[in-house]
């Protein structure tokens, strides 16, 4: 049994090593500049109604899943390069330090384009993927804003009720005037918030409903990719 576990562990290590070598070869064979040149050659015309399809959402999920391996490897490369600079820290940096720093920039670029690399590797149109991602991000932002406005309205309603009670119970005209000014101020604030929270023209009920079905999966994938950012790893 112990021998079997050892063999399985060794196979896992070898598989991980092979995946690391394979991904780094992809980074080497097709750098970020070449990748972006390929992306720019593609084109995509969004549907007139701006609605996402189930097929596009499935594409988005598959790309994000594949992007995790690229993001993880790019972050690992960046971490190793950074540790090399720290280890060789000295008053006057040498040419090797500058070369390592430039490699750091390549690693950052590899991380930032992990999803586009995954999209092209899987045979999807990267321009279509970018549009889908834009719609998803805007729809998510709109939902956050809508929830914030709902919360503000609820808080405003309770505050308004309390201020009106205090105004009605005020002993003097001057105090009632102060409460009236406060009521006017928060009322104007609410109107301004509602005015600034008008939905973007690309936000559709169809997309909001479709995104609801994929929300948990998207949140999970985003969290997985964030694990490999330098901020999360510190």
């Amino acid at each position: 049994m112990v021998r079997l576990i050892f063999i399985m562990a060794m196979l896992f290590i070898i598989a991980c090593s092979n995946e690391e070598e394979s991904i780094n070869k992809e980074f080497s064979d097709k750098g970020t500049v070449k990748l972006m040149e390929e992306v720019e050659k593609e084109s995509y015309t969004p549907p007139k109604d701006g609605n996402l399809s189930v097929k596009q959402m499935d594409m988005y999920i598959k790309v994000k899943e594949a992007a995790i391996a690229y993001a993880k490897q790019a972050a690992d490369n960046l971490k190793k390069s950074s540790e090399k600079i720290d280890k060789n820290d000295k008053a006057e940096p040498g040419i090797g330090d500058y070369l390592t720093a430039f490699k750091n920039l390549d690693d950052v670029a590899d991380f930032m384009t992990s999803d586009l690399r995954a999209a092209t590797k899987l045979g999807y149109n990267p321009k279509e993927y970018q549009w889908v991602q834009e719609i998803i991000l805007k729809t998510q932002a709109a939902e956050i804003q809508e929830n914030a406005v709902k919360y503000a309205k609820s808080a405003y309603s309770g505050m308004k009720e309390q201020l009106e009670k205090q105004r009605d119970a005020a002993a003097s005209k001057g105090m009632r005037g102060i409460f009236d000014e406060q009521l006017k101020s928060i009322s104007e604030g609410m109107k301004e918030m509602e005015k600034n929270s008008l939905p973007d023209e690309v936000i559709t009920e169809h997309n909001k409903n479709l995104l609801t079905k994929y929300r948990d999966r998207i949140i999970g994938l985003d969290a997985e990719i964030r694990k490999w950012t330098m901020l999360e790893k510190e």
Side-chain angles (χ1 to χ4, degrees):
M1 182 65 178
V2 174
R3 185 179 180 184
L4 177 60
I5 293 174
F6 175 76
I7 293 174
M8 291 178 66
M10 290 302 297
L11 289 173
F12 177 76
I13 292 172
I14 292 172
C16 290
S17 178
N18 289 339
E19 182 182 37
E20 178 180 339
E21 291 179 6
S22 176
I23 291 176
N24 279 332
K25 187 176 186 306
E26 285 188 53
F27 287 156
S28 177
D29 292 345
K30 184 189 294 184
T32 304
V33 173
K34 187 176 180 180
L35 172 66
M36 294 310 296
E37 286 176 348
E38 290 184 5
V39 170
E40 287 307 309
K41 290 178 182 178
E42 299 290 342
S43 62
Y44 176 70
T45 302
K48 292 182 179 180
D49 59 9
N51 286 335
L52 297 168
S53 67
V54 171
K55 184 178 179 180
Q56 286 175 324
M57 290 301 298
D58 289 338
M59 171 195 72
Y60 182 80
I61 294 297
K62 289 178 182 177
V63 169
K64 283 292 186 181
E65 289 174 339
I68 291 173
Y70 291 117
K72 177 181 179 297
Q73 190 57 52
D76 189 54
N77 292 341
L78 179 58
K79 185 173 183 290
K80 289 177 180 177
S81 297
S82 299
E83 287 174 347
K84 184 176 180 181
I85 291 178
D86 292 338
K87 186 177 181 180
N88 297 329
D89 188 26
K90 46 187 174 291
E92 293 295 330
I95 186 65
D97 298 309
Y98 289 119
L99 290 175
T100 302
F102 278 117
K103 183 62 172 68
N104 275 354
L105 295 178
D106 289 338
D107 294 331
V108 172
D110 287 334
F111 182 88
M112 298 301 293
T113 56
S114 59
D115 54 349
L116 291 178
R117 188 177 294 276
T120 56
K121 179 69 179 295
L122 293 173
Y124 293 118
N125 183 339
K127 288 288 188 180
E128 180 179 8
Y129 167 80
Q130 287 180 315
W131 177 78
V132 171
Q133 183 178 52
E134 178 186 0
I135 297 300
I136 289 174
L137 291 175
K138 285 186 175 182
T139 303
Q140 289 175 325
E143 289 184 336
I144 292 173
Q145 190 175 44
E146 284 180 7
N147 290 332
V149 171
K150 287 179 182 177
Y151 177 81
K153 283 183 177 180
S154 178
Y156 165 70
S157 179
M159 188 183 300
K160 181 172 180 270
E161 184 179 349
Q162 289 298 317
L163 286 174
E164 287 175 342
K165 287 180 179 179
Q166 290 176 308
R167 180 198 59 192
D168 295 341
S172 67
K173 183 178 179 180
M175 285 300 298
R176 287 194 292 274
I178 291 175
F179 285 119
D180 282 334
E181 283 299 318
Q182 291 178 336
L183 285 163
K184 180 181 178 182
S185 177
I186 62 174
S187 177
E188 290 176 349
M190 282 303 304
K191 288 179 181 178
E192 188 66 23
M193 177 182 286
E194 291 178 340
K195 178 182 176 182
N196 293 331
S197 66
L198 292 175
D200 190 291
E201 61 180 6
V202 302
I203 308 302
T204 68
E205 286 300 317
H206 169 86
N207 288 339
K208 288 165 64 175
N209 293 332
L210 185 60
L211 191 59
T212 297
K213 299 177 182 178
Y214 290 83
R215 179 179 288 110
D216 291 344
R217 187 65 183 131
I218 290 174
I219 290 174
L221 288 169
D222 287 342
E224 183 67 22
I225 290 179
R226 280 200 304 273
K227 280 169 53 179
W228 303 108
T229 65
M230 292 305 290
L231 179 63
E232 291 285 334
K233 289 180 74 65
E234 288 297 329

